[in-house]
Amino acid sequence: MENVISIQQLTHRFGDREALKDLSYEVMQGEVFALLGPNGAGKTTTIRLLNGLYTPAQGSIRVLGMDPGSHGGEIRRQTGVLTETNALYERLTARENLRFFGTLYGLPESVLLKKIDEVLSFFALEARADDRVDTYSKGMKQRLALARALLTEPRILFLDEPTSSLDPESALQVHELIESIRQNDGHTVFLCTHRLEEAERLADRVAILNSGKLLALGTLDELKKKYNPGLWVEVKLMEPLKGKITGNTCRGLLKVEQSAVQLKVQVEEEDAIPALVTALVGQNARILGVEQQRVTLEDIYFKLQENAREGAK
Ligand code: ATP
């Protein structure tokens, strides 16, 4: 598979502060790649570097085979960006916004008019297409901003925190749209987010960034195998347990959260579960059910933070 973004030993500084530290990774054609990290991790800086708006202190960047330093304009013509501030003209209607940006991007009138109808329909904005944007909800504005970013059929779509200001319902709509954009057209999506569930839902691969450093990179399955954050098991009881379950009563336990008739136990591996049940039966527990929870990106993320803290000790 062809790479559409290649970053090698990239370092970027603002004054003495290193915002990105010696990063190397590639993004492959057609994948949804999530750059995940807390505020200040370096996500927006990365998007700006990829679009040629900053020049890196060290290292090399290629986007669609081009150097953003010398070919920023060409890269911006072939890609689409959606930032947190959607940069729409509030006093214009949706149709007028799309027409304005389409003309700016150099689309011929006949192509543009057809494309505008297509994106308005895809983003379910037809009924309000001739209303001013300042009458739109945040979710509608974000859908329109996505429509604008897709006007030119970009080869890469950069999304910087696309749902951070949206309520859960609008965020869900945007997630569904990103999924269908991807299924329809095979776009490559470079998604920056601090939302774990967003990255988990949308991304084929995730890069976890913290303070400008890459902590981990891979598919969810690869990250699970590599960092083994442990499994959570939920045990439902008929009546409260008399004693306590701890690492001393049962091997392979990482954490126990015990409430009246429910236990949440984190174990190292699946094979610790029978031993847990045996230990509970040994304490005369009346067990109603034992359920293994799915390992989530959140589990991996917290495990990585824990590893980073231990490494720093
Ligand atoms: P957020 O989600 O808060 O936008 P982010 O992951 O996008 O976070 P960046 O905006 O890329 O993070 O910032 C990375 C680091 O670089 C931060 O420490 C930030 O303070 C610093 N930084 C970003 N832009 C500038 C700038 N123009 N001048 C100085 N420092 C900057």
Side-chain angles (χ1 to χ4, degrees):
M1 210 196 284
E2 194 192 336
N3 79 48
V4 286
I5 297 176
S6 168
I7 291 176
Q8 301 299 329
Q9 296 171 324
L10 173 67
T11 293
H12 188 68
R13 295 190 191 93
F14 293 106
D16 317 331
R17 187 185 304 132
E18 280 197 330
L20 298 175
K21 297 167 194 163
D22 196 19
L23 303 183
S24 298
Y25 56 88
E26 292 182 340
V27 177
M28 311 313 279
Q29 159 117 47
E31 74 173 333
V32 177
F33 182 91
L35 191 59
L36 180 72
N39 293 131
K43 305 182 293 296
T44 303
T45 303
T46 303
I47 288 198
R48 294 199 171 141
L49 283 159
L50 292 173
N51 279 279
L53 303 177
Y54 294 152
T55 307
Q58 279 161 31
S60 86
I61 306 176
R62 288 289 175 276
V63 179
L64 301 171
M66 295 177 275
D67 176 355
S70 52
H71 291 77
E74 188 51 35
I75 291 171
R76 290 194 292 278
R77 258 189 294 285
Q78 295 193 35
T79 58
V81 185
L82 175 67
T83 57
E84 251 176 294
T85 52
N86 55 41
L88 295 165
Y89 289 100
E90 297 266 327
R91 289 166 173 223
L92 298 183
T93 68
R95 205 183 288 280
E96 287 165 348
N97 264 284
L98 293 172
R99 200 162 175 161
F100 172 79
F101 285 106
T103 309
L104 201 67
Y105 300 146
L107 291 178
E109 176 96 355
S110 57
V111 176
L112 179 59
L113 293 181
K114 197 161 157 269
K115 195 71 200 164
I116 289 175
D117 285 336
E118 208 177 291
V119 291
L120 285 171
S121 147
F122 185 80
F123 288 97
L125 289 166
E126 280 160 316
R128 300 282 306 273
D130 298 308
D131 292 349
R132 275 169 50 149
V133 170
D134 54 10
T135 66
Y136 280 22
S137 69
K138 276 188 187 162
M140 289 171 70
K141 286 181 189 171
Q142 203 64 338
R143 278 173 14 229
L144 178 58
L146 256 181
R148 188 203 57 200
L150 286 170
L151 271 182
T152 53
E153 301 187 2
R155 291 182 62 194
I156 307 172
L157 185 60
F158 293 101
L159 304 176
D160 194 1
E161 306 281 2
T163 61
S164 66
S165 60
L166 304 185
D167 61 38
E169 218 162 275
S170 309
L172 183 68
Q173 266 184 2
V174 170
H175 287 164
E176 285 170 356
L177 286 169
I178 295 170
E179 278 171 340
S180 45
I181 289 166
R182 195 270 180 90
Q183 278 159 12
N184 285 2
D185 304 311
H187 286 285
T188 306
V189 178
F190 188 92
L191 165 73
C192 289
T193 183
H194 63 267
R195 296 192 164 182
L196 294 156
E197 77 292 351
E198 182 162 280
E200 178 157 3
R201 170 166 184 170
L202 298 175
D204 297 303
R205 288 192 305 147
V206 179
I208 301 178
L209 197 64
N210 202 349
S211 306
K213 283 194 211 144
L214 201 58
L215 297 185
L217 191 155
T219 64
L220 194 59
D221 278 342
E222 285 165 357
L223 297 180
K224 271 181 207 167
K225 281 201 191 95
K226 186 156 182 201
Y227 299 102
N228 185 22
L231 271 180
W232 282 97
V233 182
E234 206 173 284
V235 183
K236 287 210 168 63
L237 303 170
M238 203 162 173
E239 57 194 38
L241 193 65
K242 305 266 177 338
K244 261 191 171 314
I245 284 288
T246 63
N248 298 331
T249 39
C250 179
R251 272 206 347 231
L253 297 198
L254 298 174
K255 272 188 204 142
V256 183
E257 292 170 10
Q258 189 164 346
S259 60
V261 287
Q262 192 186 48
L263 289 175
K264 280 190 178 171
V265 185
Q266 195 185 30
V267 295
E268 272 169 21
E269 304 279 353
E270 211 171 38
D271 60 13
I273 299 174
L276 168 68
V277 175
T278 308
L280 283 167
V281 171
Q283 293 199 17
N284 299 320
R286 302 182 71 193
I287 300 172
L288 287 176
V290 179
E291 199 179 332
Q292 210 182 103
Q293 306 292 303
R294 198 171 58 86
V295 176
T296 63
L297 191 54
E298 187 174 327
D299 298 324
I300 295 165
Y301 187 81
F302 287 119
K303 171 78 177 183
L304 282 166
Q305 304 293 345
E306 200 179 292
N307 290 355
R309 274 195 302 275
E310 273 169 19
K313 272 182 201 166

